Amino acid sequence: MKELWQSRTSFVLASIGSAIGLGNIWRFPYVCYECGGGAFLIPFLVALLTAGIPLMILEYSLGHKFAGCAPLALGSIKKGFEILGWFALLVGFGIVTYYAVVMGWCFNYLGFSLNLAWGENTQAFFFDQFLKISESPLQIGSVQWLIALGLILTWIAIVASIWRGAKTVGKVVYFTVLIPWVILIVFVIRGVTLPGALEGLRFYLTPDFSALLNYRVWLHAYSQVFFSLTIGFGVQITYASFLPRDSDIVNNAFLVSLADAATAFVGGFAVFATLGYYSFQSGLPVSEVVKSGPQLAFVTYPTIIRLLPFGSVVFGVLFFLMLLTLGIDSAFSLVEAGAASLIEKFKLKRTHVNIGFALIAAGVGFIYTTKSGLYWLDIVDYFMNNFGLLLVGVIMCIAAGWFYNIKSIREYANGKSDFTIGAWWDFCIRILTPVVVGALFITNVIDRIKASYGGYPRIAEFIGGWLVIGIFVVVGLLLFKKKRRT
Ligand code: TRP
C-alpha cells in the first residue's frame, strides 16, 4: 500500500522543509555576496519566477499524476527518462554527502556557543582553529575528529527522523519548519541594529544593472534557485506522489516556493547587516571585508551572537539548533526520495535502504572532514549545482515539454488547484528555461575548459567534478537497466 500524507499541512510542511534549509541561511548569502550583493537579487527573482515556480508545479504534477517516485514518474513520460530520475537522485546524493558535513559543523558550533569559543576573530577561528585548513585540496591532511563526530551525529539524526517514512516525516516537520522562523527574526533584529548595518544593507539591496550582463551571476542565480527549492532532485516529485488524489497543486507550489525565497531574503538582512558592521569597524568596503565562500555564515552569525545585548549563549545554542532543524528535513527529503524510489523499483526493505544510504553517504562525507575538506566541498558543490543540477533541469523541461503533451499536464494541475495557470507556464517549461539554462550550461563548460574552477589544480577539479558526474551517469544507467522486482 502506498503511504499518504495525513494532511495537506503535513505535505506542505514537508515540502517547505525540504526546500528551506542551509541553502537559505548558509548558501544563499555567500553566493549573493560573491555575485556582488544587489547584483544578484534581480536574476534570482527572475529565475524564481520563470524556472523555480514553474518547475515546482511541474514536479508536483508529475509526481501526482503518475503517482510514482522520480524515476518511475519520469519513466512514464518515455521509458528512457527513467535514467534522468536516477541521475537527479544521485546529484542529490552528491549534495547530501557534504551537506551533512556542514550540519556537522553546526553541531560543533552548537558546542562552541556554550562559551562563545570563537572569540572576536571569527574568521581566523573558523579556518585555523576549527578546520585547520591545509594549503591545497591535494594536501589532504588528517580527519578532524570533532567534525567527523558531528557528521556521525547528523546521520543518526537523519535516519531517526525518517524511520517510518511519511508518517514520521509528517510529524517531525512541524518542529523543523516553524521554530527556525522565530529565531531568525531575533537575529535579523540584532543584525540591523549594529553600527554600520545600513552600509551592508545598501550593498545587499542596491541593484547593479550592469551585472545583469554578466552571465555568471545568472548561472549562480539559476543554480541557487534549483538548489534552494530542491527542484531537479526528484524530491518534490516523490513527495507529491504521496499526496491524496484530490490535493491542490498550483497553490501549494506557489506557497512553498515563495516561503523558501522569503526565508533566504530575510536571512540575508542579518548576514549583510553584519558585513556592514565589519566594514564600519575595519574601514574596508563591504565587498572586501571577509573572504567569501562557504564559510560566510560561520563568520557572520557568530559575530552577531557575541554582540547580542544579553543571552548570547542561549541564542547561540538556539541559532545552531535552528540550522540543524532547517538542514535535517532537507537532508532527509533526499534520503526519503532515494529510498522510496529504490523500494518502489526493487522492493527492498525500508530500514535496510535507510541504513545503507546513511553508511555510504557518511563514508563519502569523511573526505570533507579532513584538513582539505573545505576545498573539496567547494569543488563538489560547484559541480553538482552548476553542472549536474542544471542538466537535470534542462532535460526535465525537454522531457515534459517536448515528449509529452505539456498542455495536458497543465490542465491536470489546473483541474486540481484553487487557482490556475495559463499558457505562460507552457512557454517557461518548453522554451524559456531550456534555452536560458542550456545556454548558461554551455558557457559554463567553455569557462571550465579555459580555466579550472576557483584556480584549484586541474586534477582536483577533475576528481571532485567531472569524475563524480561521470560516475553518477554510469550508476544511473545501471539502476535503469536493472530489472524491476515485482
Ligand atoms: N533545498 C535545500 C536547502 O535549501 C538544499 C538541498 C537541495 C539539498 N537538494 C538537496 C540538501 C539534496 C540535501 C540533499 O538547504
Side-chain angles (χ1 to χ4, degrees):
M1 234 269 301
K2 192 136 198 115
E3 39 184 345
L4 294 178
W5 298 107
Q6 278 150 345
S7 67
R8 170 174 173 182
T9 326
S10 297
F11 164 73
V12 171
L13 284 179
S15 181
I16 290 185
S18 171
I20 302 183
L22 302 179
N24 305 63
I25 308 293
W26 161 72
R27 198 173 189 278
F28 173 81
Y30 83 76
V31 173
C32 181
Y33 184 70
E34 283 180 344
C35 290
F40 185 71
L41 291 181
I42 297 175
F44 181 78
L45 201 66
V46 172
L48 177 74
L49 296 176
T50 61
I53 295 177
L55 267 141
M56 185 70 91
I57 298 173
L58 177 65
E59 290 210 2
Y60 283 177
S61 310
L62 291 176
H64 199 249
K65 186 171 161 66
F66 297 119
C69 299
L72 284 143
L74 289 167
S76 313
I77 293 180
K78 211 173 172 61
K79 187 79 184 101
F81 287 123
E82 187 190 322
I83 305 174
L84 181 68
W86 292 114
F87 181 72
L89 288 167
L90 284 159
V91 172
F93 172 83
I95 288 177
V96 83
T97 60
Y98 68 77
Y99 197 83
V101 175
V102 179
M103 289 176 65
W105 297 349
C106 295
F107 261 114
N108 280 270
Y109 267 72
L110 186 63
F112 297 151
S113 322
L114 296 177
N115 59 354
L116 306 182
W118 47 74
E120 285 197 13
N121 192 343
T122 50
Q123 185 147 246
F125 177 83
F126 182 79
F127 283 111
D128 303 333
Q129 271 169 274
F130 179 55
L131 297 183
K132 302 213 171 52
I133 192 156
S134 65
E135 297 286 316
S136 112
L138 300 176
Q139 248 178 46
I140 296 191
S142 50
V143 166
Q144 300 301 298
W145 284 107
L146 281 177
I147 306 180
L149 184 68
L151 177 65
I152 294 169
L153 287 176
T154 300
W155 276 109
I156 294 178
I158 293 173
V159 172
S161 317
I162 48 169
W163 197 243
R164 290 176 54 231
K167 270 207 208 67
T168 335
V169 173
K171 296 214 175 64
V172 172
V173 287
Y174 274 90
F175 295 95
T176 54
V177 173
L178 298 178
I179 299 173
W181 259 90
V182 179
I183 305 175
L184 195 57
I185 286 172
V186 172
F187 278 80
V188 170
I189 293 173
R190 173 67 266 207
V192 301
T193 51
L194 289 171
L198 268 184
E199 211 28 62
L201 295 183
R202 195 166 300 138
F203 179 79
Y204 180 38
L205 299 174
T206 313
D208 170 3
F209 292 101
S210 65
L212 297 183
L213 296 174
N214 180 352
Y215 91 88
R216 278 190 202 92
V217 173
W218 287 94
L219 176 72
H220 285 117
Y222 273 88
S223 55
Q224 175 60 20
V225 163
F226 283 56
F227 179 89
S228 191
L229 298 181
T230 325
I231 47 180
F233 297 95
V235 170
Q236 307 291 5
I237 298 183
T238 307
Y239 271 7
S241 77
F242 301 159
L243 274 171
R245 294 289 86 205
D246 57 351
S247 326
D248 179 277
I249 289 179
V250 178
N251 205 353
N252 284 348
F254 271 88
L255 192 68
V256 171
S257 309
L258 294 176
D260 181 75
T263 310
F265 184 63
V266 170
F269 278 78
V271 169
F272 284 92
T274 316
L275 294 175
Y277 167 75
Y278 288 151
S279 153
F280 172 79
Q281 279 197 320
S282 62
L284 291 169
V286 175
S287 60
E288 288 169 26
V289 283
V290 290
K291 285 190 218 161
S292 55
Q295 63 277 5
L296 187 64
F298 290 85
V299 171
T300 50
Y301 280 103
T303 302
I304 303 190
I305 294 169
R306 185 173 60 82
L307 293 175
L308 286 172
F310 56 87
S312 290
V313 170
V314 176
F315 280 109
V317 168
L318 283 177
F319 177 73
F320 289 105
L321 272 181
M322 163 186 108
L323 280 186
L324 285 168
T325 54
L326 279 180
I328 197 164
D329 43 14
S330 302
F332 71 55
S333 70
L334 194 271
V335 183
E336 178 64 22
S341 307
L342 289 170
I343 294 168
E344 198 169 82
K345 181 156 180 179
F346 302 115
K347 305 281 174 290
L348 302 171
K349 245 184 105 157
R350 176 177 295 280
T351 41
H352 293 173
V353 180
N354 284 345
I355 292 175
F357 194 116
L359 286 178
I360 299 176
V364 174
F366 268 81
I367 182 77
Y368 313 109
T369 68
T370 62
K371 291 186 178 176
S372 58
L374 185 69
Y375 301 125
W376 290 105
L377 191 156
D378 193 23
I379 296 172
V380 175
D381 176 72
Y382 171 81
F383 272 84
M384 289 299 111
N385 289 295
N386 294 300
F387 288 102
L389 189 47
L390 294 191
L391 199 61
V392 175
V394 174
I395 302 179
M396 199 189 292
C397 287
I398 294 176
W402 297 92
F403 288 85
Y404 201 83
N405 180 353
I406 185 84
K407 198 157 164 247
S408 75
I409 302 183
R410 169 156 59 95
E411 278 159 5
Y412 180 85
N414 281 343
K416 304 272 171 200
S417 304
D418 293 347
F419 69 90
T420 55
I421 40 173
W424 63 269
W425 183 78
D426 305 10
F427 175 73
C428 286
I429 299 286
R430 291 189 73 163
I431 297 169
L432 191 61
T433 302
V435 169
V436 174
V437 177
L440 288 173
F441 181 86
I442 293 168
T443 336
N444 198 29
V445 172
I446 297 173
D447 243 19
R448 288 291 66 80
I449 293 172
K450 287 201 200 125
S452 72
Y453 167 65
Y456 291 112
R458 280 288 191 188
I459 177 78
E461 180 194 51
F462 174 76
I463 297 172
W466 302 116
L467 186 66
V468 176
I469 295 202
I471 292 175
F472 287 172
V473 172
V474 173
V475 176
L477 212 65
L478 290 177
L479 285 166
F480 166 65
K481 287 269 176 221
K482 230 171 134 51
K483 277 235 156 35
R484 180 170 188 179
R485 295 244 312 256
T486 41

